[in-house]
Amino acid sequence: SLDALMAGIQAAPLPRDRPLWRAVVVTGFAPGRIAVLLQVHHVVADGLGTIAHAAFVLEPELTLPALPAPPPLKRAIGAVVGIAQLATDGPNRYRLPGRGFDGQRRFATTGVPLARLKAAARAHGVRVSDVLLSVTAGALRRARTGVDDLPPVLRTSVPLMMRGTGSAAEGNVTAAVMIDLPLGPMPETERLAATPRRTGRLRSPTRALGGRFVMAGLTAVLPPPLQAWFARTVYGERFFQAIVSNMPGPTGTYRMAGEPMREVYPVLPLAPRAPLAVGALSWDGTLFIGVSAAPGLLADADRFAAGLRATLDE
């Protein structure tokens, strides 16, 4: 299947003797349809940066949203406060099953009407991002029905866009905020009600500014061996067990080589020994979701994708 092919391509390391990206054109998986799998190393571009690179082959020209950069003094104060907040978050206390994978992946896709997500958010007085995070936890419980080995919370890394107006597409211009999502058995409406109390830090920029300062400032002065050690120490199961990224996309119809782009799924790489990554991208009225997982966590990623839809139904 196309999902299985995507999982295999994602698991294969990019050759280091050429530019760290590749594009694969796939035909024959469905009548009259063509897929383009674009893989870009994270050192080249972050999620929105990858889309910005792809925009060069789309018609009409695609304009991505950007955030205005805060004034330098406000940015500096926010970074100091954010570093102090990050220091209080502490390491991840729980572990998910499926940590001992050997680079293999399970991959699945699904799409949800964006209007439906917004309606659910309005009905419960929360944000769309809260709904996405809550249904991710609920879907994981549904996908592992009958296996009582999940921790009470899911420590989740939520990347935040730090790309200011006029920023180039190159580089990883993101920061991450850690959220403990309720993962215990409960009605999904209760899980959603409990989620905003934990996601308020996403709407305060200080943690993101602190994380960005550490990534782009402090580590830049370290020699490469220490940079590598730092990256291995903070990026993975010691601080989080899942990644959930929600990226804003465009509205309207876009074409590649004259053909309309019907579906666009983001594919997030798994962090070391963190067995789950969920990427979401809004594209012309639909939230397209790509799920990557270690086989030990999800033997069937399609079951997780179905759980996302079922949790939203509830």
Side-chain angles (χ1 to χ4, degrees):
S1 70
L2 185 61
D3 287 345
L5 176 64
M6 182 67 251
I9 291 174
Q10 184 193 25
L14 289 163
R16 294 297 194 265
D17 61 346
R18 63 194 69 181
L20 293 176
W21 66 273
R22 61 184 161 205
V24 181
V25 178
V26 185
T27 61
F29 63 94
R33 303 193 63 186
I34 296 173
V36 178
L37 309 180
L38 175 62
Q39 185 180 22
V40 179
H41 197 287
H42 215 227
V43 300
V44 176
D46 56 28
L48 280 178
T50 301
I51 298 170
H53 282 294
F56 288 114
V57 294
L58 295 181
E59 300 172 341
E61 183 178 352
L62 175 61
T63 301
L64 294 173
L67 297 177
L73 179 59
K74 185 176 181 180
R75 187 165 61 246
I77 294 174
V80 172
V81 174
I83 290 173
Q85 292 173 327
L86 293 173
T88 65
D89 287 344
N92 175 42
R93 294 182 296 158
Y94 302 102
R95 299 290 184 267
L96 285 178
R99 292 177 294 123
F101 61 92
D102 58 358
Q104 297 301 308
R105 305 286 191 273
R106 297 289 184 266
F107 183 66
T109 57
T110 190
V112 177
L114 193 57
R116 189 156 179 249
L117 275 169
K118 290 180 177 179
R122 285 195 303 270
H124 293 273
V126 299
R127 296 171 181 255
V128 170
S129 57
D130 295 329
V131 178
L132 176 63
L133 289 165
S134 179
V135 299
T136 295
L140 183 56
R141 287 208 63 87
R142 290 175 186 270
R144 294 189 65 84
T145 299
V147 183
D148 190 17
D149 58 358
L150 293 177
V153 298
L154 178 64
R155 172 62 69 91
T156 305
S157 173
V158 181
L160 296 179
M161 181 177 65
M162 304 291 287
R163 192 176 292 280
T165 304
S167 296
E170 291 76 19
N172 179 7
V173 193
T174 58
V177 173
M178 304 303 160
I179 305 293
D180 285 333
L181 298 175
L183 194 54
M186 64 182 71
E188 295 305 332
T189 51
E190 290 185 13
R191 195 185 317 279
L192 179 58
T195 298
R197 296 195 295 270
R198 302 161 186 256
T199 59
R201 59 181 59 181
L202 295 176
R203 294 179 284 281
S204 172
T206 51
R207 273 184 171 82
L209 287 170
R212 183 66 196 157
F213 177 76
V214 171
M215 289 170 55
L218 294 182
T219 59
V221 303
L222 298 176
L226 286 181
Q227 288 181 359
W229 170 84
F230 180 81
R232 288 192 298 266
T233 300
V234 303
Y235 190 66
E237 67 167 350
R238 184 176 177 183
F239 287 95
F240 61 88
Q241 279 292 287
I243 303 171
V244 179
S245 177
N246 183 17
M247 294 174 285
T251 58
T253 301
Y254 290 85
R255 297 178 177 272
M256 178 183 291
E259 297 298 327
M261 299 282 291
R262 301 294 187 191
E263 303 172 12
V264 182
Y265 296 98
V267 182
L268 272 60
L270 296 180
R273 299 182 69 80
L276 179 64
V278 178
L281 173 68
S282 59
W283 190 276
D284 197 21
T286 299
L287 190 71
F288 291 105
I289 301 172
V291 180
S292 301
L297 177 66
L298 297 177
D300 183 0
D302 286 327
R303 187 171 178 177
F304 181 91
L308 285 169
R309 298 188 295 270
T311 303
L312 182 60
D313 289 342
E314 184 177 331

